[in-house]
Amino acid sequence: MKLLLIDDEVITRKGLLSSIDWKALQIHQVLEAEDGLQGLELARKYSPEIVMTDIRMPRMDGISFAEKLRTFLPNTSIIFMSGYSDKDYLRAAIRLKAVSYVEKPINNEEVARAVTEAVRFHEMMERNQYSEYLHHQEKASQLTLALTRPIGANRDDILELIRELELPFNSGTCFSIFLLTTVPSFESTEDEGLSSALQQLQKLCQGRSCDYICALKYNSTLIICLFGDAIKDRSFIARLANNLREQLLPICSFFLATGPSVVGINRIYDSYNQAAVLMQGSFFCDYNSILTEQDASAADNGYIEQEYAHFSEFVSRRDHEGAARSALSLFEYLRKSRSLLASAVKDLYFKLFISLEDAYRVQLISCQDSPAPVWDRILSCNTLKELHEMLIDELQRLSAAAASSLQESGPVSLMKEYIFKNYSDANLSVKSISEYACLSVSYACTLFKSETGKTLNQFLTEYRMEKARQLLQDPRIRVADISARIGYLDGGYFSKSFKKVTGLSPTDYREKLMA
């Protein structure tokens, strides 16, 4: 603690400084002043917890000094010193709530007892104030959460909380809701940094005669309820949001949604609800964005399914550049639309990842497994951009694995590539495949079997059956259409071939999937 010692007698001041073990009394800094005027200057600059002052001094006496000190440091403990046992001085000391009164000539033990008492008194005051602060914050949190629900049966409770907190709410009070989510969550975010950011927000508010109350909801979203006449000014709201953003940038990643300005406590829920809708759309934005009113267009599910089909087809044909273009088109469309829920987008990307996993298996590509299951990695993404980047990384991993795993000769690679691109052609044959690789049919079959362990027909059939499995997952595609899509003009022959490979007919296989 800091102690300010005020006395016009230099000998008294120096004697106290040298003869008292201040550190033992929990005093770590002692400031000196020769009268009340100089004492006020030091008090304003250093905010001492304890003041020890003489009563009779030139220019400004101790009583006048204490009266002025109380206006800006009301909780500082005061110890008066005087050689005059005057009742008026004693009455003034009581009125100014002095902790102690030490008579001159100074007795060091008496000073030590007075300072010890002042230290204990100040600690008690701090504990009481902190307890009151916690109580106030708890009530403010209760009120904030109550105001983010439609006011109905809880109206009386809300009005009681407003009265307890002595908030200047009336029918004309303007409100706006800020919602803040951080990455990592509030549990892991630096408390001091957040507190500092909120203190800066409060300073800006006080400069315009407005204020806020706040509450943490589900330990994930900080609700800030701003109120005051200045909240009608949307440019001021934007300034508050930008300032809060600047304060948070060095601390964490975040999203900040700002609800519209509304008048009256009955409409606070409207501001909160609109901010919550904006926050749901944060998935489509970059980190550290301020989310304001925006338009969202309805998503075209037909277009989405089309791009998914294009992506899967490109992957199956080993056209990784085409797959990347398709993924980018889908990403840009979803980001612009913003009408789907994040969960629906993650389901879609899960299907895209499954297409990649199918490609590894069907194209006989070996690749080191990812450290976590694909669904866990998808769930960990907080933004669409993260999800897209993870998909592109996996696509690049597939491309690199495909390039490095090509241990067969050039002709075998050419034959596989031709199959991947033309499997849906009913006229695809061993002859056309061999010709593409510039080989005779007999040599092509021998070479392919020796390097892959499978005949050309066997490899073609298995690849087509794998494509059929993928198509059967979509109940909207008829079995007869699937047969044509994978190069079988005869549906019955397709069913027989599918059952030979899987042990189930296409219809039974689909029913098992849908069960």
Side-chain angles (χ1 to χ4, degrees), residues 1 26 49-50 70 73-79 96-100 113-129:
M1 291 187 185
Q26 300 183 47
E49 289 84 3
I50 301 171
R70 283 285 183 241
L73 290 177
N75 296 320
T76 291
S77 301
I78 300 173
I79 301 170
L96 291 166
K97 297 179 182 178
V99 173
S100 189
R113 282 195 297 271
V115 172
T116 299
E117 185 180 351
V119 168
R120 288 175 180 169
F121 179 79
H122 190 80
E123 289 175 342
M124 181 188 69
M125 289 283 290
E126 283 190 331
R127 284 195 298 271
N128 290 342
Q129 286 179 343

Side-chain angles (χ1 to χ4, degrees), residues 63 67 90-98:
I63 301 300
E67 288 173 342
L90 292 174
R91 280 197 293 270
I94 294 169
R95 175 171 56 83
L96 291 166
K97 297 179 182 178

Side-chain angles (χ1 to χ4, degrees), residues 29 137 200 230 234 268-269 287 310 414 493 502:
Q29 183 179 8
Q137 290 297 100
Q200 182 63 25
R234 291 308 294 178
I268 295 176
Y269 174 73
Y287 283 130
H310 286 165
L414 286 174
Y493 182 61
T502 65

Side-chain angles (χ1 to χ4, degrees), residues 134-181:
L134 290 179
H135 180 71
H136 181 278
Q137 290 297 100
E138 176 62 26
K139 292 293 182 182
S141 178
Q142 291 176 19
L143 176 60
T144 303
L145 293 174
L147 290 172
T148 56
R149 297 187 291 270
I151 296 177
N154 63 339
R155 184 179 186 84
D156 290 342
D157 294 334
I158 288 173
L159 294 176
E160 179 60 29
L161 285 169
I162 292 172
R163 280 192 293 270
E164 284 187 41
L165 294 167
E166 299 179 346
L167 295 172
F169 291 1
N170 56 55
S171 59
T173 303
C174 191
F175 300 89
S176 180
I177 294 291
F178 281 9
L179 297 182
L180 174 67
T181 62

